[in-house]
Amino acid sequence: MLDETYRADLGDREPVTGLSYDPATGLSHDPITGHPRPPRREFKARGSFTERCPGCNLPVLNCLCPYRASAESKAQVWLITHPLEHLKPTNTGRLIRDVLPDTEVFTWYRTAPDERLLALLDDPHFAPFVIFPDDQPDYADRVVGMDAVEIAKHQGKVPVFILLDGTWRQARRIFRKSPYLDRLPVLPLATTRLTRYRLRKPASQSHLCTAEVAAELLRQSGDGEAAQLLDDYFDAFNVSYAASRRYEKIEQPTPAMRRLLAYRGE
């Protein structure tokens, strides 16, 4: 999802006051009440002492950089990312921006929405869709299908898939606690695909990770080449990270890795 280095220390302190500082928002005080944010204990993520590549953030044992490739697509992906996801090297949202350079990434903060995101949502050049299940009646009138994406294209607009990047609980909170999303159409992902993600245990095999959701949306909306490239890049990430956890060096590229190398002309 993100090109910046992921830090294992969640408890950054403001140099002068010692107050807890949120690196995603630059805030040491609550933006609504003005109250200082309470100190946080230092957080060390699992694997935080592993030597990682500064380019892809994977363990250097199986660096992903040789397989990174970019593609163009008619649709764009915007990520609204929970702050804790920025700290997880297993996050797959960052893979989307590696493959699709036009991807936008916004950090979600309940009381301080990103002003740039708000401006983009008002830009008539874009047709944004919130990707979320259609399992509750209170927003049933906002639910649309993939045909709405085609209509947006015919109107000369750029379809935008807004992905809520976090755990299912975090994503539901973002959806419910972000009033600026209430006016947007909701596009549920209709697919029979099962997840191939190996790095976190999903509640169900039908729960796709962020990169898998983006690839399937691109495929269904007609961006087949970009979808395949993202799928292959996700597979390379999945295999590389899993092997690194076992301290195993991948000696022979997988079929997905070979396709990525061929796409890069290598």
Side-chain angles (χ1 to χ4, degrees):
M1 175 205 318
L2 301 173
D3 292 336
E4 63 262 24
T5 301
Y6 291 75
R7 290 177 289 180
D9 183 1
L10 183 61
D12 289 358
R13 299 292 185 265
E14 192 176 35
V16 177
T17 64
L19 298 173
S20 179
Y21 173 80
D22 187 342
T25 62
L27 297 173
S28 59
H29 293 75
D30 185 279
I32 300 300
T33 66
H35 295 161
R37 295 168 60 86
R40 291 175 176 169
R41 290 181 301 172
E42 185 180 40
F43 172 80
K44 293 293 184 182
R46 192 167 116 184
S48 60
F49 298 105
T50 300
E51 183 183 1
R52 298 183 180 276
C53 168
C56 65
N57 201 43
L58 260 68
V60 295
L61 182 64
N62 293 298
C63 174
L64 193 63
C65 292
Y67 307 109
R68 181 172 176 173
S70 61
E72 295 182 354
S73 62
K74 296 183 179 66
Q76 289 189 17
V77 177
W78 296 353
L79 299 170
I80 301 180
T81 303
H82 191 279
L84 295 181
E85 279 298 312
H86 290 317
L87 305 170
K88 299 176 182 178
T90 55
N91 175 273
T92 66
R94 62 192 176 93
L95 303 177
I96 303 169
R97 195 166 77 171
D98 283 350
V99 173
L100 302 176
D102 289 334
T103 299
E104 298 281 359
V105 181
F106 307 96
T107 300
W108 183 77
Y109 191 64
R110 184 178 63 82
T111 55
D114 191 299
E115 293 296 333
R116 186 164 175 273
L117 170 60
L118 298 182
L120 286 173
L121 290 176
D122 288 333
D123 189 334
H125 178 65
F126 298 109
F129 300 87
V130 182
I131 310 306
F132 204 73
D134 57 345
D135 58 354
Q136 298 297 321
D138 60 310
Y139 56 87
D141 59 322
R142 296 164 54 200
V143 174
V144 299
M146 195 58 70
D147 58 320
V149 176
E150 292 303 314
I151 292 173
K153 290 180 182 178
H154 289 312
Q155 293 174 341
K157 297 185 177 183
V158 176
V160 176
F161 301 128
I162 298 179
L163 305 186
L164 310 182
D165 189 23
T167 65
W168 174 238
R169 182 176 180 179
Q170 291 166 347
R172 185 173 288 276
R173 179 173 172 79
I174 294 171
F175 183 79
R176 292 294 186 181
K177 300 294 184 179
S178 304
Y180 49 89
L181 298 180
D182 292 346
R183 58 187 170 88
L184 301 181
V186 175
L187 177 64
L189 175 62
T191 181
T192 58
R193 295 188 70 179
L194 301 179
T195 185
R196 309 186 311 280
Y197 192 36
R198 302 180 185 179
L199 307 181
R200 300 186 205 173
K201 185 176 181 180
S204 167
Q205 291 300 306
S206 63
H207 290 178
L208 306 184
C209 71
T210 304
E212 290 175 306
V213 169
E216 185 62 16
L217 288 167
L218 291 169
R219 182 175 291 106
Q220 292 186 16
S221 63
D223 285 311
E225 182 176 281
Q228 185 59 54
L229 197 66
L230 180 55
D231 249 345
D232 285 342
Y233 192 57
F234 166 70
D235 279 340
F237 166 82
N238 210 20
V239 171
S240 297
Y241 209 117
S244 296
R245 279 184 169 177
R246 301 189 301 269
Y247 303 100
E248 296 177 0
K249 173 67 176 176
I250 298 176
E251 300 297 343
Q252 295 296 329
T254 65
M257 291 174 178
R258 290 196 292 270
R259 286 192 295 269
L260 290 166
L261 292 173
Y263 187 88
R264 288 167 54 100
E266 297 178 8

